[in-house]
């Protein structure tokens, strides 16, 4: 009986240590540990925000281990002369925390302008029906603020459990994802179809930025070889041509979907010299790197906008690798 009681006590104690405290101090003061919290890990939140700031994007900040996080760590390691296996080691942690001394979480006061944004409460799943809407805006303020701060809506809610996301003047705890200005000169962009990443290189070949991406599919693979940037369109509309013959679209007529961050190509379109191909944003940042695309290169809106700030007409785009898909990816 005593042994059973002791075992139960140890189980409860272990469970308590795994359910990590989550607030602004626990994340800002997080230190490296081999242990991982049961759900969302303050240390991983801190690492993800620091990677985001350094432009080794983990995609959506959610405080969890993921393929995108592992790839971001591996890219950061490779760029800093460390063994690039994607494992967050103490050496990697020390290098990463040395990149920025500012707290990773900060506070943000919701403004009247935020609250009065033009929201699109209901967005249909089918693209033909999307074409009936005048704008593809955010569904609500929570979604808008989550995207502004590169964070999953669930984690944003966990950081602000008592907050009302409908009222001006509310102070929210949010990631501080302010990146430095774009690099003064870039040589080219690499689109790696095998690793599902987009990389920005300087003239010496150094990685200046690495972003996760969804790149092509068996239905419509991404191109190969070399292309150039033609121009950048912010807040683009989306034009569907029946010759694309995307699965799930029944109409044989062309249609146009209005602009907005929940447009199928998100908040920015980087037009390429290969007809009908581009690098663009997405209405669903949580799926980046885990789904296929319709041939183009899809990124989170914030990463696509960051990339758009670096390129200009004539910037070279090199497609590398043979396959856009993996057994972990699935069609959207």
């Amino acid at each position: 009986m005593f042994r059973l009681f002791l075992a139960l006590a140890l189980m409860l104690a272990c469970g308590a240590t795994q359910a990590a405290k989550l607030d602004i101090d626990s994340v800002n003061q997080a230190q490296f540990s081999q242990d991982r919290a049961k759900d969302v890990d303050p240390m991983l939140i801190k690492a993800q925000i620091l990677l985001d700031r350094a432009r080794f994007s983990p995609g959506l900040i959610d405080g969890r281990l993921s393929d995108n996080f592992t790839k971001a760590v591996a890219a950061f390691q490779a760029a800093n002369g460390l063994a690039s296996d994607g494992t967050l080691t103490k050496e990697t942690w020390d290098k990463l925390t040395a990149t920025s001394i500012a707290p990773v979480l900060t506070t943000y006061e919701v403004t009247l302008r935020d609250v009065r944004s033009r929201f699109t409460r209901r967005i249909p799943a089918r693209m033909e029906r999307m074409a009936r809407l005048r704008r593809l805006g955010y569904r609500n303020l929570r979604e808008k603020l989550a995207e502004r701060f590169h964070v999953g809506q669930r984690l944003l809610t966990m950081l602000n459990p008592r907050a009302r996301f409908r009222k001006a003047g509310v102070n929210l705890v949010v990631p501080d994802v302010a990146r430095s200005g774009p690099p003064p000169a870039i040589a080219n962009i690499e689109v790696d179809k095998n690793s599902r990443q987009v990389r920005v290189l300087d003239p010496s070949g150094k990685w200046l930025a690495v972003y996760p991406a969804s790149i092509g599919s068996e239905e419509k693979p991404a191109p190969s070889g070399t292309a150039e940037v033609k121009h950048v369109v912010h807040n683009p509309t989306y034009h569907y041509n029946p010759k694309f013959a995307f699965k799930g679209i029944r109409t044989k007529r062309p249609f146009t979907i209005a602009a907005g961050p929940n447009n199928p190509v998100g908040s920015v379109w980087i037009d390429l010299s290969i007809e009908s191909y581009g690098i663009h944003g997405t209405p669903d940042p949580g799926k980046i790197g885990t789904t296929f695309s319709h041939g183009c290169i899809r990124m989170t809106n914030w990463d696509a906008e960051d990339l758009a700030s670096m390129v200009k007409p004539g910037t070279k785009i090199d497609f590398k690798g043979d396959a856009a898909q993996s057994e972990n990816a699935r069609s959207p």
Side-chain angles (χ1 to χ4, degrees):
M1 179 63 73
F2 176 78
R3 289 181 179 178
L4 178 61
F5 175 82
L6 183 60
L8 289 171
L10 287 171
M11 288 174 64
L12 289 171
C14 289
T17 58
Q18 289 178 338
K21 182 181 178 182
L22 193 64
D23 59 23
I24 190 168
D25 290 331
S26 66
V27 176
N28 283 339
Q29 298 171 13
Q31 300 297 319
F32 178 79
S33 172
Q34 296 286 1
D35 298 328
R36 294 289 181 268
K38 184 177 180 180
D39 188 13
V40 174
D41 192 318
M43 185 189 72
L44 292 181
I45 296 173
K46 185 172 183 176
Q48 288 174 343
I49 296 171
L50 290 171
L51 285 166
D52 185 288
R53 280 185 193 167
R55 287 193 168 95
F56 291 88
S57 174
L60 198 68
I61 295 168
D62 60 5
R64 295 170 174 268
L65 289 174
S66 66
D67 285 344
N68 284 342
F69 174 71
T70 298
K71 291 176 183 177
V73 171
F76 177 82
Q77 290 169 328
N80 286 276
L82 304 174
S84 56
D85 62 358
T87 301
L88 185 59
T89 62
K90 180 64 165 61
E91 185 181 18
T92 304
W93 172 266
D94 290 343
K95 198 83 170 181
L96 182 59
T97 53
T99 61
S100 177
I101 62 172
V104 294
L105 290 185
T106 186
T107 57
Y108 174 77
E109 183 176 338
V110 177
T111 67
L112 196 60
R113 184 175 182 180
D114 291 330
V115 174
R116 292 179 176 176
S117 299
R118 293 170 57 198
F119 297 116
T120 307
R121 303 291 179 183
R122 293 182 179 84
I123 298 177
R126 291 182 57 186
M127 294 175 70
E128 301 99 312
R129 293 181 180 176
M130 288 183 192
R132 301 173 187 173
L133 301 178
R134 293 184 177 180
R135 177 172 169 75
L136 276 292
Y138 294 111
R139 294 174 179 84
N140 51 53
L141 182 58
R142 190 190 309 263
E143 182 184 46
K144 177 177 181 176
L145 294 178
E147 179 149 311
R148 179 182 300 176
F149 298 107
H150 310 179
V151 64
Q153 292 187 56
R154 179 174 180 266
L155 179 55
L156 182 62
T157 301
M158 292 176 70
L159 290 169
N160 302 279
R162 297 179 181 85
R164 295 180 62 189
F165 288 84
R166 298 189 300 272
K167 187 176 180 181
V170 173
N171 283 305
L172 300 176
V173 175
V174 297
D176 182 351
V177 288
R179 292 166 172 169
S180 60
I186 65 173
N188 63 299
I189 309 297
E190 282 185 354
V191 177
D192 190 326
K193 293 184 282 185
N194 289 335
S195 68
R196 300 195 302 279
Q197 288 181 319
V198 173
R199 306 185 189 106
V200 180
L201 281 66
D202 75 1
S204 70
K206 179 183 177 181
W207 294 354
L208 300 174
V210 180
Y211 310 103
S214 293
I215 307 172
S217 65
E218 289 184 356
E219 177 190 3
K220 190 174 182 183
S224 298
T226 302
E228 291 183 352
V229 171
K230 290 177 64 178
H231 57 271
V232 174
V233 181
H234 293 278
N235 204 29
T237 55
Y238 175 79
H239 305 284
Y240 177 75
N241 189 325
K243 73 177 183 180
F244 297 158
F246 292 161
K247 290 181 180 178
I249 298 182
R250 301 172 185 174
T251 184
K252 302 300 181 183
R253 297 180 179 179
F255 57 82
T256 297
I257 297 177
N262 274 315
N263 177 291
V265 293
S267 61
V268 66
W269 170 268
I270 302 173
D271 197 33
L272 302 184
S273 55
I274 303 173
E275 184 181 2
S276 80
Y277 283 94
I279 303 173
H280 62 82
T282 181
D284 199 344
K287 291 183 178 179
I288 292 301
T290 65
T291 61
F292 298 145
S293 75
H294 286 128
C296 292
I297 300 89
R298 184 191 303 141
M299 303 163 63
T300 65
N301 279 338
W302 56 87
D303 285 341
E305 289 168 4
D306 195 43
L307 180 65
S309 72
M310 303 181 198
V311 302
K312 59 185 179 181
T315 298
K316 185 180 175 184
I317 311 292
D318 292 323
F319 289 90
K320 297 186 176 296
D322 300 319
Q325 63 274 9
S326 79
E327 43 185 48
N328 293 323
R330 59 190 185 280
S331 295

